[in-house]
Amino acid sequence: MISLDQLPVGSAASSLEDDSRLLALERQFNAIFAELLALDRLRHNQKTRQGAAPQRPEQSTGQTSLEEHACEEAVARRIEPVLARLYPIERAIMETQARTIAGLGLKARHAAHVMSQYWEDPLDQIDWDAQAVRLLIEAVCDVGGTPLPFRHAGDNDDCATRRSSLQGAPGMEEGE
């Protein structure tokens, strides 16, 4: 059995050697994910502009709906090929073994992207199983020195505070 002090933490240089494939995949993922974020901002900006544009009395709500739908379709057509390019990179991240704590942090951050719905609401407002997954991912990212791209603004990063907020939840006995 391996103890925690035997796990390779090492320097950034050793992380590069041991997890170079994961690091390369992360760079590819980040570049393509940035494209998705840009398209999402474009969609949001188009919706904002359409919602803020003054309507002429002769303009029917049906025409506005058609314009919104056309914009949505145009953005969706641009997103689909980006998602297609992202998919093999995500598969490779999941299939590549982490060799260091930093590599494990990268894999946890990818899991956070996949399970991003667990960060849409404050921790105390999500299901117990979602809390368990979210807290595990955050802990691995913290230990691996891998920042998450999102954390809910209302969440406190202090693990003791989180733990006390979970007292009384299934499996959390007093004094654990």
Side-chain angles (χ1 to χ4, degrees):
M1 179 183 257
I2 294 178
S3 67
L4 286 177
D5 58 338
Q6 293 174 322
L7 288 174
V9 176
S11 66
S14 70
S15 291
L16 282 173
E17 279 179 34
D18 297 333
D19 283 323
S20 58
R21 176 157 165 71
L22 269 176
L23 292 168
L25 289 167
E26 181 194 32
R27 283 189 297 276
Q28 292 173 19
F29 176 89
N30 289 341
I32 296 172
F33 193 75
E35 291 178 47
L36 282 176
L37 290 176
L39 288 169
D40 190 53
R41 278 191 301 272
L42 175 66
R43 177 181 20 210
H44 176 74
N45 291 343
Q46 286 176 340
K47 282 183 178 181
T48 303
R49 270 183 273 157
Q50 287 172 347
Q55 286 193 339
R56 295 183 307 259
E58 67 273 6
Q59 195 174 26
S60 72
T61 57
Q63 182 179 355
T64 303
S65 296
L66 288 174
E67 289 172 3
E68 288 174 6
H69 184 68
C71 286
E72 282 290 319
E73 281 187 21
V75 173
R77 280 192 304 274
R78 292 177 65 187
I79 287 175
E80 289 173 12
V82 176
L83 289 173
R85 288 185 9 243
L86 193 59
Y87 179 75
I89 295 167
E90 289 186 287
R91 293 289 309 176
I93 289 171
M94 291 189 297
E95 293 169 359
T96 302
Q97 181 179 356
R99 303 203 180 280
T100 65
I101 299 278
L104 188 60
L106 296 178
K107 289 179 74 79
R109 181 171 41 202
H110 178 262
H113 279 288
V114 172
M115 305 303 292
S116 62
Q117 71 273 14
Y118 291 168
W119 281 265
E120 290 174 359
D121 295 314
L123 188 63
D124 61 351
Q125 294 178 14
I126 60 176
D127 292 338
W128 176 245
D129 56 340
Q131 286 182 19
V133 170
R134 178 171 153 178
L135 289 172
L136 176 62
I137 289 171
E138 289 179 0
V140 171
C141 285
D142 288 346
V143 169
T146 308
L148 283 172
F150 45 79
R151 284 197 191 236
H152 195 276
D155 290 341
N156 186 332
D157 283 348
D158 179 16
C159 287
T161 303
R162 285 190 198 150
R163 187 179 176 85
S164 68
S165 72
L166 296 175
Q167 291 297 329
M172 292 298 292
E173 305 299 323
E174 271 310 306
E176 271 188 17

